């Protein structure tokens, strides 16, 4: 199988792999390090972490253990809500860099649009980007009104909006909005924690294409121009998730998967963001 991973050109000219490794909840002894080494061996070049995942040190060790140069990797991390509220975004960024043992990250994201904070947080991210300590800046869990607010106060459009997106919640309207405004959409929880893998439509299509249900779900997103960061520490699944670039779903089958949408959220919203206009 062809596992050469495609890239997308972001609105700032930087290249981002279409597929990456998510490391949320990878907290076991050596777990994240081993997952990164395995993934890089399978052709992955993007690693997605966050300060709130409490595993940036492990990610840094995993990067050091990789047989490829740092500049071939694309490393993402994110600023958490309390740092925004405390006006400590710059400090939080430096602590992330220290934990990762890196001179720069490729993408720094606002993890959630904390009301009353995220416009100021964005201004700090612009300064960090201008300093060269991160190559691209973006957001996560932002809806249209949050993005509109950034457009109004800043000439800089986020390079990426990382959102939960999968066949059970296809986010058609938001994805279309982002793509029209030149914002790359990156899907976290693209397998919806495995909750759609046994659905009849997905199982049927897996049989039709000679693929696994996970590969069908990931291919559906990639074919819509959405980047994906499935989380796995299992070597065979890491390999399986990368083998999605050598087949194509028909338009009719894409529409069939579209029909599965039930606006189902598989990931939780942090307690301090519930009721804050994030869907």
């Amino acid at each position: 199988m062809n596992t050469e991973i495609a890239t997308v050109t972001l609105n700032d000219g930087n290249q981002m792999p279409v597929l990456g490794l998510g490391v949320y909840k990878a907290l076991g002894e050596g777990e994240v390090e081993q997952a990164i080494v395995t993934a890089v061996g399978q052709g992955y070049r993007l690693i997605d972490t966050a300060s709130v995942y409490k595993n940036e040190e492990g990610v840094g060790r995993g990067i050091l253990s990789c047989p490829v140069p740092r500049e071939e990797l694309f490393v993402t991390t994110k600023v958490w809500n309390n740092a925004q509220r405390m006006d400590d975004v710059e400090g939080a960024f430096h602590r992330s860099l220290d934990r990762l043992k890196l001179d720069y990250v490729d993408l720094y994201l606002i993890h959630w649009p904390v009301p009353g904070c995220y416009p100021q947080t964005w201004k700090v991210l612009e300064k960090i980007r201008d300093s060269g300590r991160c190559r691209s800046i973006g957001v996560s869990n932002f809806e249209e009104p949050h993005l509109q607010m950034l457009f109004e106060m800043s000439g800089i459009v986020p390079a990426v909006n990382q959102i939960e997106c999968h066949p059970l919640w296809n986010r058609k309207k938001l994805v279309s909005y982002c793509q029209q405004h030149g914002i790359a959409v990156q899907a976290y929880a693209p397998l919806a924690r495995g909750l759609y893998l046994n659905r009849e439509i997905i199982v049927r299509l897996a049989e039709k294409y000679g693929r696994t249900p996970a590969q069908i779900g990931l291919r559906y997103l990639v074919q819509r121009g959405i980047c994906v960061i499935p989380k796995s520490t299992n070597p065979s699944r890491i390999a399986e998730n990368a083998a999605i670039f050598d087949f194509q779903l028909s338009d009719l089958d894409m529409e069939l998967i579209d029909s599965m949408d039930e606006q189902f959220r598989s990931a939780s919203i942090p307690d301090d963001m519930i009721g804050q206009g994030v869907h």
Side-chain angles (χ1 to χ4, degrees):
M1 286 188 190
N2 171 30
T3 56
E4 188 168 326
I5 294 167
T7 61
V8 61
T9 303
L10 302 178
N11 61 26
D12 56 14
N14 292 324
Q15 295 284 318
M16 183 176 79
V18 169
L19 172 89
L21 179 73
V23 299
Y24 176 60
K25 287 191 173 173
L27 292 167
E29 184 66 36
E31 186 180 26
V32 72
E33 293 94 320
Q34 190 53 55
I36 288 168
V37 171
T38 300
V40 168
Q42 292 291 339
Y44 287 68
R45 292 296 180 265
L46 188 154
I47 301 141
D48 179 272
T49 186
S51 61
V52 78
Y53 297 171
K54 307 293 186 207
N55 61 10
E56 286 172 316
E57 291 96 339
V59 168
R61 288 192 295 271
I63 290 167
L64 270 178
S65 303
C66 286
V68 300
R70 159 68 184 103
E71 57 269 19
E72 286 186 22
L73 299 175
F74 190 104
V75 182
T76 302
T77 193
K78 313 175 192 79
V79 60
W80 188 241
N81 303 348
N82 56 356
Q84 294 190 62
R85 290 197 179 91
M86 294 162 62
D87 196 18
D88 186 31
V89 176
E90 181 98 22
F93 176 76
H94 280 297
R95 290 190 292 277
S96 283
L97 275 191
D98 287 345
R99 288 190 289 264
L100 289 161
K101 300 270 192 294
L102 297 177
D103 297 326
Y104 70 95
V105 293
D106 297 271
L107 179 62
Y108 196 48
L109 302 180
I110 302 177
H111 208 146
W112 288 89
V114 177
C117 298
Y118 70 85
Q120 180 58 34
T121 300
W122 183 249
K123 287 179 182 168
V124 180
L125 261 62
E126 289 178 4
K127 286 183 194 159
I128 292 170
R129 192 197 68 166
D130 291 345
S131 76
R133 290 166 294 163
C134 74
R135 301 283 166 87
S136 299
I137 54 176
V139 296
S140 181
N141 298 299
F142 273 48
E143 305 286 344
E144 284 181 43
H146 307 121
L147 294 167
Q148 195 61 46
M149 168 77 83
L150 290 189
F151 295 154
E152 287 167 9
M153 58 152 275
S154 166
I156 300 174
V157 176
V160 174
N161 187 15
Q162 189 183 107
I163 57 173
E164 178 173 351
C165 187
H166 45 70
L168 299 183
W169 196 21
N170 64 39
R171 312 300 293 269
K172 276 286 178 79
K173 189 164 176 285
L174 180 57
V175 168
S176 173
Y177 179 89
C178 288
Q179 291 176 340
Q180 283 168 13
H181 287 86
I183 302 169
V185 177
Q186 190 178 52
Y188 72 80
L191 302 174
R193 314 292 192 242
L195 293 172
Y196 65 77
L197 300 183
N198 59 359
R199 295 288 184 100
E200 186 190 348
I201 287 172
I202 296 292
V203 170
R204 210 163 68 230
L205 291 177
E207 289 170 0
K208 174 180 174 179
Y209 288 91
R211 298 286 169 158
T212 66
Q215 288 170 332
I216 298 296
L218 294 173
R219 180 67 207 177
Y220 163 75
L221 293 171
V222 165
Q223 223 165 290
R224 290 173 57 203
I226 298 168
C227 302
V228 291
I229 45 170
K231 182 257 169 167
S232 183
T233 55
N234 177 302
S236 62
R237 289 209 188 101
I238 287 171
E240 174 191 315
N241 291 342
I244 57 171
F245 297 99
D246 59 348
F247 76 104
Q248 184 107 355
L249 298 169
S250 73
D251 290 347
L252 278 175
D253 290 336
M254 289 290 287
E255 287 172 20
L256 204 53
I257 300 173
D258 282 344
S259 73
M260 294 172 63
D261 183 59
E262 51 191 59
Q263 298 187 18
F264 174 79
R265 178 188 283 278
S266 70
S268 57
I269 300 177
D271 291 345
D272 62 355
M273 289 300 298
I274 291 171
Q276 300 290 353
V278 179
H279 303 300

